[in-house]
Structures are given as C-alpha cells and as structure tokens.
Amino acid sequence: MTTTERRWLTAAADPGRTWLRLAAAAQVLETMFSVVQWAGLAWVAQEVFARHRAPGAPALGTVLAGGVLAAAAAWGGARWQAAGRDRIATAIRQRMVAGLLPSAPRRGEPDPATAALAAVELTDDVADYHADTLPQRRSAPVAMVLIFVVTAAVQWPVAVILLAASLLVPLNLRLAGLFAKEGTDERLVASTRLAAVVLDSFRGLRTLQSIGAVERRRVQLAAAAARLNTTTMVVVRRAFISGSVMEVVITFSIAANATFIGLSLLGYVRVDAAPQVTLFSGLLTLLLCPMYFAPLRGMAAAYHSRERAAAAVPTIMALLADTGPQPVERPAAPVAGPVTVVLDEVGFSFGGSSSPVIQDVNLTIRPGQWTAITGASGAGKTTLLSLIAGAREPTTGSVEWRTPAGELAPQLGGCAWIGQQTAILPGSITDNICIGRPAASPADIAGALAAAGLADVVARLPDGLDTQLGEGGSGLSTGEARRIAIARAFLRDAELWVLDEPTAHLDPEAEARVIDALRAATPGRTVIVATHSVALAGCADTLLTVADASVQPVRDVIAA
C-alpha cells in the first residue's frame, strides 16, 4: 500500500472508532471476568477432588458471577463491534453513492461492474478489517499481559513457556499476511471480471439472442465464475496453511505446559524456585493457556482481513476520485419560462484524454422548438446531451440556459431527462409516474397519462393505476415504459426536455405512439433529442449531426 492509501484506510475508521474502542474495553472486561470464572472452576475442583468435600457457596458464586459477567461483556463487545462496522460501511457507501448518483455535474462515468463490487463487497472488506483489527489492537496486549501476570503469579515456569511460544507468533503472522496478499489481489480481479460479465450479459441479452451468441456468453460466464472459485480456494488454502502453522506453535506450548503440570502433580518434576504445583494452580494455568493465545488467533485473522482491505482500497479511492467529493445540493425545481440553450466553445474529454469527444462547439438552441441530434454510435451525442442537461461539466467553454429570469448554469433537475433506459421501480403505475413529484394530484396524474398516451393502456388494466409493476418494468412493453417516462417528465412541468434515444429498440408502431406522446406532451417547450430514428429526426425543427468531435447543422426549418 502507498502512504496515501494507508492514510485513507486509517481515516475510514473514524465514523466507527468510538464504538470500536468500547468493543475493545468490553473484550478486556471479558478476559478479566473469564479469569475469575476459571479461578472459581479451579477452586471448585480443588474442593471436590483434593479436599473431598462439596464446594462452598463462595466457589460456586465465583464461577457463576464470572461466567455471567464474561457473557455480558462479550455480548456488549459484539454489539459495539457490529455498530462500529455498520457506521464505517455506511459512511463509505454514502460518499460513494453521493458520487455515483450526483446532484451536480461530473466529468467521468464509473464502470458499473467496479462500482457495484465496490459498493457491495469491497466496502464491507474495509469495514470488517477495522471492526476486527481496532478492538484487537487495543484489547489484545492488555488481555495477554493480564493473563501472563496471573499465570506468572501462580506458576511462573508456565508463564516462561507461554512467553517463548508467543515470540514465534509475530513472525508467523507476518508470513501469513504476505502469503495471502497475492491470492487476495487475484480474487479481486476475478470478482470484478465476473461482475462485468454478468452485468453486460443482462444488459445485452436481447442483442446476444438476436446474433446467436448466448452460448458463447454462457461459456464466458462459466469461465469467469470458475476463475473466481479457483482464486477464492487459493485464498482459503493459504489462510488454512498459515493458520495451521500458528496452531502448531500454540498446541505445542499448551502441550508442554500440560506435561509440566501433570509431571509436577505426580512428583516427577520439581523446580526449586517455583511454587509447589497444586490441583488449583495447575488447573487454573491450564485453563488460562488457551485464553492467552486467543488474542493472537484474532490478530492472525485480522492479518487476512487487512490484505482484503488493502486490495479494496485502490478501487474505492479511484471511484471516489473519479466522482469527486460529495456535491453541494442544488435546487431540483424545473426552470420556469422559455429556455434558450447556448454552447460557447464547448469541448469535453474523458479523464484527461488527449482525444476530445467534442470540441469547439458553438450552438444556440431556440426556445419552443425541437432540435434533433444525429450521428454514428459513439460520436458523442449522449455526451453532448449530458453537458446540456448539467450531468457533466465541459472541459472547455461554457453551457448556459437563458431564461426570462436570467442566465443559469445547467443543473440536474432543472430540465426533464429521458434516457435510453427507463427505470421502472417495483410499485404501482402511480408510484412510478409520481416518483419525481409524490404530491401530484389525481387531476395532474390524469393529465400526464393523457399527454403520454397512457390513458387507454391504464383503462385496460384490471387494477388501473394501482397495477403493480415488477422491477425493470415487468408487465409493460418497452414502448409503454417509455411513455411512463414521458408522463414523469410531464409532471415535472419543465420547459426544457432532453431526450436520449427515446424510441430506440421499438418497432415502427410503438415508435409512432411514443413520438405522438412526445409531441402531445411538449407543445411550446424546448426539446433536444439524440436519435438514430429517421421518423423522430423528421419531426424536428432543427437537425444537427455529430461527427469528428464537431457539431454541424444539417437542416434548419425555421431558418429556411
């Protein structure tokens, strides 16, 4: 990890640091009460087996009190640890979502597969690392010293064996972390690859079916899944092997202490400077030996989680850097009055690329008219629309909305946007139409339905506006989903409409219905539409084309 990445990883723990400190304190208390519990258990054994009498209330009370208090401390520690983990993960996701779903323009578009993996899995890797490591770092030294001191006070030869074994563990922990790092990096690459294949397959399923490439994609998907499985098993095997080495050290130490205690009780071993081994002291030290190594086991697990977090940090940081800091919220109300869009020497490049998508664009789009933008796929039509709508900021030049109230910089929410994909959420038709204006009245909804040409469609449905739609638009045709988007935009009552391929993938009949709905919904409004459709382009007052990073007029009906 670089110094910058290490600092970011450390700072990521701040939202949950207080809770994790409480968890560390609870872990120390759990150790203290467990020592009391085991001391009470050794006391009970001394009473029963050495003195041949029933244990008294003090001994039984010590076992019970220690056990109850240890359980309470463990419960509290787990709750605080989970709370700290949740706060760290939530804080990272909030920053990420603020960038991925901005309310202000941005210059880059994150890869969907990488963004999904980072938001779902990599964020948890970072949160899990801090939740596992921070409490351990604070509680482990205190707990180990406490157990060591108690053991040394009871039987110092046992403490010497524990100390000798513990000196071997840090080297094993370092080797375990180095051993796991390479496998963790490979697993991250495999996870990203699988996520990309899955997302691309779902988005392009119809295209894959139409060209007969479904079987080939299935093979690619199976290969990506197999690669992820292989890299995951490599990480598991390496963790198992490194953990086994440490377990050998710990087991040997416990076995050596057990042998010493057993031979001492039988009278075969005697250390002159050491106190006499009794059933109480021998049993107590044997019970404390596994407790002494428990924090080391936790730190070993933290080494593996650290490597996962270290692999996740560069991806998360890259996403946060691409999307920028959390934007300042801007008013989302549509701009009132006729809108003239003016582009002055506008240029745009992705991420510092030397090849501009568009450059030196000078354009004035008059209010109340339809302007169609055509061009080959990838020529920059969608980029130009995003600059006009305020979804991106130009690299050079400026974009302005001129209204009766004055000149404005483009802002998300100030215009109606209809993209290539219509987002239909689980819920009723009313819920989906009113998503941008929840307080719309029944009359307003009826007007939006009429303008979008959906009134007859809704009238044919058994539940009307209460008809439930599935995720992704289940229950609607593609054309009807587009008209849902038109109804939403109509409810926004925006004077500027920006449309990106609103009739893509529609048959001629459905396309005609969508065009009619758009015409009915936008009288007197400024409409800018990117399209490959000859029918839709033919409806425009002005026709522009994007080619070779420039925008040129093809037809201007108004000027003619």
Side-chain angles (χ1 to χ4, degrees):
M1 293 179 66
T2 65
T3 302
T4 302
E5 291 171 349
R6 195 174 294 109
R7 288 174 179 171
W8 185 93
L9 182 59
T10 301
D14 291 344
R17 200 177 296 275
T18 299
W19 296 97
L20 296 180
R21 287 172 179 170
L22 291 173
Q27 290 175 356
V28 172
L29 291 176
E30 181 187 2
T31 300
M32 294 174 56
F33 295 137
S34 295
V35 170
V36 173
Q37 181 185 17
W38 297 139
L41 184 60
W43 189 0
V44 169
Q46 176 84 359
E47 295 288 311
V48 173
F49 296 107
R51 298 178 181 174
H52 305 288
R53 64 187 185 190
L60 293 175
T62 301
V63 175
L64 179 61
V68 170
L69 293 174
W75 178 82
R79 290 290 299 272
W80 288 325
Q81 191 174 18
R85 178 190 293 109
D86 291 344
R87 279 161 174 77
I88 293 171
T90 299
I92 297 174
R93 286 194 176 100
Q94 285 177 341
R95 291 177 57 193
M96 196 175 300
V97 170
L100 297 174
L101 302 175
S103 59
R106 64 181 179 208
R107 295 192 174 183
E109 287 293 337
D111 173 63
T114 303
L117 181 67
V120 175
E121 183 174 340
L122 302 187
T123 296
D124 283 338
D125 287 342
V126 174
D128 289 342
Y129 161 67
H130 286 302
D132 294 339
T133 304
L134 262 63
Q136 284 288 343
R137 284 180 178 174
R138 288 179 170 269
S139 66
V142 178
M144 292 180 69
V145 168
L146 173 63
I147 296 172
F148 182 83
V149 169
V150 173
T151 303
V154 177
Q155 280 294 329
W156 64 261
V158 175
V160 171
I161 296 174
L162 292 179
L163 181 61
S166 62
L167 294 177
L168 300 175
V169 174
L171 176 61
N172 176 260
L173 293 177
R174 181 58 180 165
L175 291 176
L178 294 175
F179 199 41
K181 185 179 187 304
E182 183 179 353
T184 302
D185 292 340
E186 293 175 354
R187 183 181 179 277
L188 177 59
V189 173
S191 297
T192 305
R193 170 62 179 163
L194 179 59
V197 172
V198 171
L199 285 174
D200 289 344
S201 297
F202 277 108
R203 288 186 300 190
L205 184 58
R206 292 184 178 179
T207 302
L208 294 172
Q209 290 173 333
S210 66
I211 63 177
V214 173
E215 180 62 23
R216 181 180 176 185
R217 176 60 72 167
R218 186 192 67 79
V219 173
Q220 292 174 338
L221 182 60
R227 179 60 181 167
L228 177 59
N229 180 65
T230 300
T231 55
T232 301
M233 291 307 300
V234 167
V235 173
V236 172
R237 283 196 298 269
R238 291 177 177 179
F240 176 77
I241 292 172
S242 60
S244 297
V245 173
M246 189 177 69
E247 289 299 326
V248 169
V249 176
I250 295 174
T251 302
F252 177 80
S253 172
I254 295 174
N257 282 325
T259 302
F260 170 76
I261 295 297
L263 293 177
S264 297
L265 287 173
L266 294 174
Y268 294 115
V269 174
R270 173 65 180 167
V271 179
D272 293 334
Q276 182 180 359
V277 178
T278 63
L279 182 60
F280 172 81
S281 62
L283 182 58
L284 177 58
T285 52
L286 287 179
L287 290 171
L288 293 181
C289 282
M291 284 185 59
Y292 178 80
F293 291 106
L296 293 178
R297 287 192 176 96
M299 292 176 67
Y303 264 88
H304 293 288
S305 64
R306 182 183 186 279
E307 298 309 327
R308 292 197 302 271
V313 166
T315 302
I316 295 176
M317 288 184 65
L319 282 173
L320 294 177
D322 286 345
T323 56
Q326 183 169 337
V328 177
E329 294 292 336
R330 297 186 180 185
V335 175
V339 179
T340 300
V341 179
V342 179
L343 287 77
D344 182 21
E345 297 295 329
V346 169
F348 181 84
S349 301
F350 282 106
S353 172
S354 59
S355 301
V357 180
I358 57 173
Q359 62 180 348
D360 302 329
V361 176
N362 293 284
L363 183 64
T364 299
I365 299 175
R366 291 178 288 237
Q369 305 299 326
W370 271 50
T371 300
I373 302 172
T374 63
S377 296
K381 300 187 300 298
T382 299
T383 300
L384 181 60
L385 291 186
S386 66
L387 294 170
I388 293 172
R392 290 193 179 98
E393 292 180 340
T395 306
T396 59
S398 64
V399 181
E400 291 181 348
W401 293 348
R402 295 181 179 175
T403 71
E407 297 178 353
L408 300 172
Q411 53 184 344
L412 288 173
C415 66
W417 171 277
I418 299 178
Q420 298 181 24
Q421 300 294 329
T422 302
I424 302 295
L425 305 180
S428 68
I429 292 179
T430 299
D431 294 335
N432 275 275
I433 291 176
C434 299
I435 190 171
R437 188 179 163 190
S441 67
D444 292 334
I445 296 173
L449 291 174
L454 280 172
D456 292 340
V457 174
V458 172
R460 291 196 302 266
L461 297 174
D463 296 325
L465 286 171
D466 294 328
T467 300
Q468 296 296 308
L469 303 178
E471 188 171 359
S474 175
L476 293 177
S477 68
T478 304
E480 289 167 347
R482 298 283 170 81
R483 283 185 275 168
I484 289 281
I486 294 172
R488 288 174 182 165
F490 185 86
L491 275 182
R492 293 281 293 165
D493 196 24
E495 292 294 331
L496 174 62
W497 288 46
V498 181
L499 318 176
D500 189 8
E501 297 284 1
T503 62
H505 310 299
L506 298 181
D507 58 57
E509 183 179 354
E511 180 183 47
R513 290 174 179 170
V514 170
I515 292 175
D516 290 342
L518 286 171
R519 278 298 191 186
T522 60
R525 303 177 193 273
T526 306
V527 179
I528 306 169
V529 54
T531 183
H532 286 103
S533 167
V534 175
L536 184 56
C539 296
D541 303 307
T542 300
L543 183 62
L544 307 173
T545 186
V546 180
D548 299 327
S550 65
V551 179
Q552 300 295 332
V554 176
R555 182 185 79 241
D556 192 334
V557 175
I558 302 302

